[in-house]
Each structure stands twice: as C-alpha cells, then as structure tokens.
Amino acid sequence: MNADRRATGSAAEQLAAQFLEMRGLVILERNFRCRAGEVDLIARHGGTLVFVEVRLRASDTFGGAAASVDARKQAKLLRAAQYYLANRPAQPCRCDVVALDRLDASRIEWIRDAFSA
C-alpha cells in the first residue's frame, strides 16, 4: 500500500473514531492485527464490545463504501474478533461499519450491527 493511501486510510479511521466517541463509544483499540486479520477499531458501547470496519470509497461505481464490506471481508473481521475474544470473558458483541464517501464527518454512514456470525 502506498504512503498516500495509508495516510488517507488513517485519516478515515481517525474521523470514524471521533464520530463514534461523540456518540458515546469508547475506543479501546485501533488497528488490531492478528494472524486471522485486522479490526480497524474496537470500542465499548455501554456493555457491548463493538468491532468496527471503517471503509472509505470515493466512488460508488461498485456499490460504495458500505457495499464493499462483502462476505469475504466480514468473515475476516469475524475471525479477528474471535481471536481478540479468545482470552477475554464472554460479553455481548456486535460488528458495525462506518462508511465514508469522502473525508467529511457530515457524510458518515454508521451501520450498527451490520453483520454477525
């Protein structure tokens, strides 16, 4: 991944984190990586642990940011979430998607409980 794309991805994740924090979520981890995959943000929302996929797409040619979280991406995120949970007590969890079509907080689409295992 080139430096510009990495910087844009980081900016999108920062914008998403700020957006979620303003809505009461507490960010616990950023860019959690393991052999199973990666989770962009891990947060707590009340008593629920939230695994967040952040997607930025400048074009909706192929369905936009939210549509880009396909079954393959969902499976990878769920595997990484299971890895994260392996040595932690059981707790309610959900997977959210924060979709952006540009780096603009007013254009964020937050999809709660976007998919599950």
Side-chain angles (χ1 to χ4, degrees):
M1 183 182 308
N2 70 34
D4 287 342
R5 189 172 161 142
R6 195 171 13 255
T8 301
S10 261
E13 288 171 6
Q14 180 61 31
L15 192 62
Q18 291 170 341
F19 175 89
L20 294 171
E21 287 173 330
M22 288 175 31
R23 282 148 184 83
L25 281 76
V26 176
I27 305 300
L28 304 174
E29 302 259 353
R30 293 173 188 250
N31 298 309
F32 172 77
R33 288 180 174 85
C34 64
R35 64 177 179 223
E38 177 185 354
V39 180
D40 294 325
L41 301 169
I42 300 173
R44 178 158 306 287
H45 193 202
T48 302
L49 194 60
V50 184
F51 297 94
V52 182
E53 176 66 18
V54 179
R55 299 302 272 199
L56 171 65
R57 289 289 158 101
S59 166
D60 63 358
T61 302
F62 297 103
S68 72
V69 185
D70 60 12
R72 185 173 83 39
K73 182 60 183 172
Q74 290 175 26
K76 283 182 79 170
L77 183 107
L78 289 170
R79 283 193 304 272
Q82 289 169 339
Y83 187 92
Y84 181 85
L85 292 168
N87 295 314
R88 290 176 172 79
Q91 55 196 299
C93 300
R94 71 172 195 249
C95 295
D96 290 4
V97 172
V98 174
L100 302 96
D101 63 2
R102 66 178 63 145
L103 290 174
D104 177 354
S106 69
R107 305 282 299 252
I108 290 177
E109 179 184 10
W110 178 21
I111 306 167
R112 295 183 198 199
D113 206 11
F115 55 92
S116 57

